[in-house]
Amino acid sequence: MPLPPRRGKPLELRVQRQILWVGSAAVPLRNVSWVEVFRLKPAWGKAAGYSLLLVVVAFLVSAQFDSTDGGSGSAPAVLAVFALAVVCVVLLSSRKPVLVVELNSGSRVLLTLPTMDELRSIAGQIVYAIDHPEYEFSAVLEQYNTTNNFGSVVNMNGGRGNTGIKL
């Protein structure tokens, strides 16, 4: 059994003897019901939360400038442009390419990498291994997600009693 991934270390994904190993988690290939690569939808809720927070800050700052400058400040316009830039960055950075391996039980394994091509290659190898029991492969997944400083690039959820590994 492989060792679990440590903080900031690469994660090994491999198929060996009809078992899909994602770090130290083992999934029998006969239980895989669905494999797909796609981009996650933008995090509209997170972007809306940031924009609401920035609007409140802009309102408070403009009220402060109005009371001290007599209403001639351009701070609200600058803060509005800044708020729009932050919302755009949040929306663009939340569209991550992911590989989803869903199991018969309804639980899922999510893997993220920087390019869709790498994920499509891994998905093709997993599907090939399902049809060819003798096929084995190994891939090392580096940590590219800058918002996750905990090391793993996998998120497992669903199933019975599985609390998951959060991204």
Side-chain angles (χ1 to χ4, degrees), residues 44-118:
W44 287 101
K46 191 175 185 181
Y50 279 132
S51 64
L52 182 63
L53 178 68
L54 288 171
V55 165
V56 169
V57 169
F59 176 75
L60 293 175
V61 168
S62 68
Q64 181 67 27
F65 273 105
D66 284 347
S67 65
T68 59
D69 289 344
S72 64
S74 63
V78 171
L79 284 173
V81 170
F82 178 70
L84 182 63
V86 167
V87 168
C88 289
V89 166
V90 168
L91 287 176
L92 291 175
S93 67
S94 66
R95 286 190 44 93
K96 292 185 236 184
V98 295
L99 164 67
V100 179
V101 178
E102 188 165 331
L103 308 178
N104 293 335
S105 64
S107 58
R108 293 179 295 279
V109 177
L110 251 66
L111 299 166
T112 63
L113 283 177
T115 66
M116 296 284 284
D117 292 334
E118 290 176 276

Side-chain angles (χ1 to χ4, degrees), residues 97-163:
V98 295
L99 164 67
V100 179
V101 178
E102 188 165 331
L103 308 178
N104 293 335
S105 64
S107 58
R108 293 179 295 279
V109 177
L110 251 66
L111 299 166
T112 63
L113 283 177
T115 66
M116 296 284 284
D117 292 334
E118 290 176 276
L119 290 173
R120 283 188 187 110
S121 172
I122 291 172
Q125 289 179 316
I126 291 171
V127 171
Y128 187 81
I130 292 170
D131 287 339
H132 300 87
E134 71 283 351
Y135 183 71
E136 295 182 355
F137 77 93
S138 179
V140 176
L141 308 178
E142 297 291 334
Q143 173 62 37
Y144 290 106
N145 182 1
T146 57
T147 60
N148 175 15
N149 298 320
F150 300 107
S152 88
V153 290
V154 61
N155 181 12
M156 299 178 74
N157 56 26
R160 292 187 195 139
N162 184 6
T163 58

